[in-house]
Amino acid sequence: MIAALVPAKALDHAKGRLAELLNEDERRRLALAMLDDVLRTLRGVPEIDSVYVVSPDAEVLEAARRVGAVALEEPASVRGINQALAHAASSVPSADALLVVLAACGSSAHILMNQALKEAESHVVLPLHFSRLWQPPLGDDLQ
């Protein structure tokens, strides 16, 4: 089984680097649109059996549910993406491979999926940049 996990920030922190160009509402809508693109892409990949989203934001989690992803609430005690991924990974039933895809990939997700699925045998794959893949140390139970 191959599962995909998408970590997503709270919307009030999303796309902060665009603050000079977009107001808060526009940044929130952009973040949700990019998340929607990624989730729909993942749901459309036949090799991916399940898609999970981890976020502290109720609106993000609801958006995930609307497209058929499993929503995992990030506890308030979680700090940063690594803790969010560790929390979420412990909630994902045993998978042969766990793909971690950033919501910021937007409509480029289909390109990343083709490359990542070639690499996904039994390890976690996190596309950090479109040109490279990184395998984070999340523990033996996920490798």
Side-chain angles (χ1 to χ4, degrees):
M1 176 182 105
I2 297 176
L5 173 59
V6 180
K9 290 181 181 178
L11 290 175
D12 56 349
H13 295 130
K15 307 295 168 209
R17 287 180 279 187
L18 296 174
E20 292 182 20
L21 301 170
L22 303 173
N23 65 39
E24 184 178 344
D25 183 59
E26 291 168 328
R27 293 192 313 272
R28 292 171 69 85
R29 290 185 308 173
L30 175 61
L32 285 171
M34 293 176 77
L35 174 67
D36 188 71
D37 282 348
V38 167
L39 295 179
R40 288 181 189 280
T41 297
L42 293 171
R43 297 280 300 145
V45 176
E47 295 86 355
I48 297 176
D49 299 294
S50 54
V51 177
Y52 298 82
V53 175
V54 61
S55 178
D57 193 293
E59 191 174 352
V60 167
L61 297 175
E62 180 54 36
R65 287 185 197 98
R66 279 195 302 272
V67 295
V70 177
L72 302 172
E73 186 174 357
E74 183 180 307
S77 61
V78 167
R79 296 288 179 255
I81 190 169
N82 288 335
Q83 286 186 11
L85 291 174
H87 164 73
S90 69
S91 301
V92 174
S94 62
D96 298 320
L98 178 61
L99 299 174
V100 177
V101 182
L102 301 179
C105 294
S107 58
S108 299
H110 70 281
I111 297 167
L112 294 169
M113 287 307 93
N114 289 333
Q115 184 179 4
L117 286 170
K118 290 176 188 172
E119 300 289 328
E121 293 176 9
S122 62
H123 56 273
V124 176
V125 178
L126 171 61
L128 285 179
H129 301 288
F130 297 168
S131 61
R132 67 184 177 104
L133 296 173
W134 175 63
Q135 182 177 342
L138 289 180
D140 292 24
D141 56 329
L142 295 175
Q143 295 183 3

